[in-house]
Amino acid sequence: MEDDIDRQIVQWLAVLNEQSQHNTPVDWELWARYFSFDVITVLSFGQSLGFLDAKSDVRGLMVNMDKAMYFQKLSLYPPIAWFARNTFLGRWIFVSQRTDKTGLGLFMAEIHRITQERLCATHKKLGTGKSMLDQWLSATDTDGQVTSINEIEDQILMDMLAGPDSISLMTTNLMFLMAAHPQVLKRAQSEIDKAIRSHQISAEAPGYNDCRRLPFVDACVREGLRIVASTFPRRRCSPPGVSFHLGGKFVPPGTSVSASACEIGRHPKLYGDDADDFKPDRWLQASEEQIRMWETLDVHWGFGVRKCLGKHIGSMVLYKSTVL
């Protein structure tokens, strides 16, 4: 998996370098999105959809994903969620179908096409590939039952919904913060150059764990994730028929409750009066006890058993792309 990510990062940097030769501003966020979609699709399918190769939005998939995300955000509100679940009109507006010509339906059709092609490739034994799709197709439950194709396609769709935007936002936010603080950027570059010269890391494909062992780079990544939340709040409903108090506030039964990584990450009681400032050194100057407390209260990736399953993929991409 790490080799697949390395190849995508190398291609991404080559394209960025090519674009920078045109004497026009480079839209970092756009190219970060192309890169992140290729990373997630190569891990999901074993092959990228070719956004970096095409240097454009392949078959309008990104534009239509944005349309779908708009409706997804609307559906987070309880009255709209009820309307979408319980009325014909609501389901028609909010529930995508593989036959749709716009929105999420295009991604569903793309996933279905690739899944069917993989199933039809009889010359290839299922389960021999490294991709998530290969692993799902060869998976069985404790009773030996295979996973249904619909469920597999739903799981892959969740990868598409959650992965690309999170990765592109994290990399874009961190690069912006470091570029806005030249002294931070210079110091990180110096640490990376020194590590390459001393053969602590590879200049071509630095390992994930090697990147994490660079103290100042690690501090920059932690601080970037702290100061800019790039994931949705994890919403939960209070138990029906049961009211309770949370932080001194009355919470009626069935109320939507969420934890904000942004609010927690910038809370003065946790990070001091300079909590709104980008200061990687706070992670180098903090005590082990303080860092443990920060890590315990960090909900950027979720919490407990509901923590994001793609956390390590997102972290790997963020560390490696920062170093390269």
Side-chain angles (χ1 to χ4, degrees):
M1 180 181 72
E2 189 166 351
D3 290 342
D4 292 328
I5 291 175
D6 286 340
R7 282 189 287 272
Q8 295 302 316
I9 292 176
V10 168
Q11 183 181 5
W12 179 39
L13 294 179
V15 171
L16 286 174
N17 183 60
E18 176 190 327
Q19 294 298 310
S20 69
Q21 307 303 313
H22 297 164
N23 295 320
T24 56
V26 176
D27 188 340
W28 171 279
E29 194 272 339
L30 176 65
W31 291 104
R33 290 195 74 193
Y34 289 163
F35 159 69
S36 61
F37 269 98
D38 276 352
V39 165
I40 293 301
T41 53
V42 80
L43 296 178
S44 297
F45 305 129
Q47 62 190 63
S48 76
L49 291 182
F51 289 88
L52 288 174
D53 288 334
K55 298 183 176 64
S56 64
D57 182 6
V58 177
R59 292 184 284 283
L61 291 170
M62 274 179 29
V63 169
N64 281 279
M65 175 68 81
D66 291 341
K67 292 179 181 178
M69 294 303 289
Y70 171 77
F71 283 99
Q72 184 191 38
K73 291 174 184 177
L74 283 178
S75 67
L76 291 174
Y77 296 97
I80 297 180
W82 181 93
F83 171 71
R85 286 195 306 267
N86 298 290
T87 68
F88 173 80
L89 180 60
R91 288 191 292 272
W92 181 77
I93 294 173
F94 288 96
V95 180
S96 299
Q97 303 292 332
R98 198 167 63 226
T99 53
D100 293 346
K101 301 303 181 184
T102 61
L104 201 58
L106 289 185
F107 258 99
M108 296 169 70
E110 194 77 18
I111 292 169
H112 181 71
R113 177 185 65 79
I114 294 173
T115 302
Q116 293 303 309
E117 287 178 356
R118 194 66 50 86
L119 285 170
C120 291
T122 54
H123 64 280
K124 180 177 180 181
K125 184 179 178 182
L126 292 179
T128 58
K130 297 184 298 181
S131 73
M132 290 301 299
L133 177 57
D134 288 305
Q135 298 307 308
W136 276 113
L137 289 172
S138 63
T140 58
D141 61 21
T142 53
D143 296 324
Q145 299 296 312
V146 298
T147 309
S148 72
I149 297 301
N150 284 340
E151 186 175 348
I152 290 172
E153 291 182 2
D154 286 345
Q155 293 292 341
I156 298 296
L157 180 61
M158 288 306 300
D159 294 345
M160 298 296 101
L161 287 173
D165 274 348
S166 295
I167 289 175
S168 64
L169 282 171
M170 287 189 297
T171 54
T172 299
N173 290 337
L174 182 56
M175 291 304 105
F176 172 81
L177 287 167
M178 294 179 71
H181 296 80
Q183 73 282 6
V184 171
L185 184 61
K186 183 178 179 180
R187 187 171 162 191
Q189 185 65 65
S190 176
E191 182 179 64
I192 294 166
D193 291 342
K194 182 178 178 181
I196 292 174
R197 287 194 300 269
S198 61
H199 304 291
Q200 289 178 262
I201 63 173
S202 164
E204 289 77 24
Y208 174 40
N209 290 327
D210 293 335
C211 294
R212 294 178 65 191
R213 280 193 284 266
L214 298 176
F216 193 66
V217 168
D218 178 61
C220 288
V221 172
R222 288 172 178 260
E223 184 73 349
L225 291 176
R226 175 194 73 83
I227 202 168
V228 182
S230 58
T231 55
F232 285 118
R234 270 69 178 178
R235 297 177 183 268
R236 298 290 179 267
C237 284
S238 58
V242 179
S243 60
F244 66 101
H245 287 78
L246 182 65
K249 303 288 186 180
F250 175 71
V251 181
T255 301
S256 177
V257 180
S258 65
S260 170
C262 183
E263 288 296 320
I264 295 173
R266 291 174 179 251
H267 204 296
K269 288 185 178 179
L270 286 175
Y271 297 98
D273 294 334
D274 60 353
D276 285 333
D277 298 333
F278 179 68
K279 294 179 61 176
D281 273 320
R282 77 174 75 245
W283 295 91
L284 301 177
Q285 297 166 357
S287 66
E288 291 184 7
E289 181 182 3
Q290 192 170 29
I291 290 177
R292 280 197 299 271
M293 180 181 67
W294 290 346
E295 290 175 342
T296 300
L297 296 175
D298 177 23
V299 296
H300 185 92
W301 300 99
F303 196 80
V305 297
R306 296 188 180 274
K307 183 173 289 187
C308 175
L309 295 176
K311 172 184 176 180
H312 297 297
I313 293 174
S315 294
M316 183 183 297
V317 173
L318 187 57
Y319 274 93
K320 291 168 79 72
S321 61
T322 299
V323 170
L324 284 171

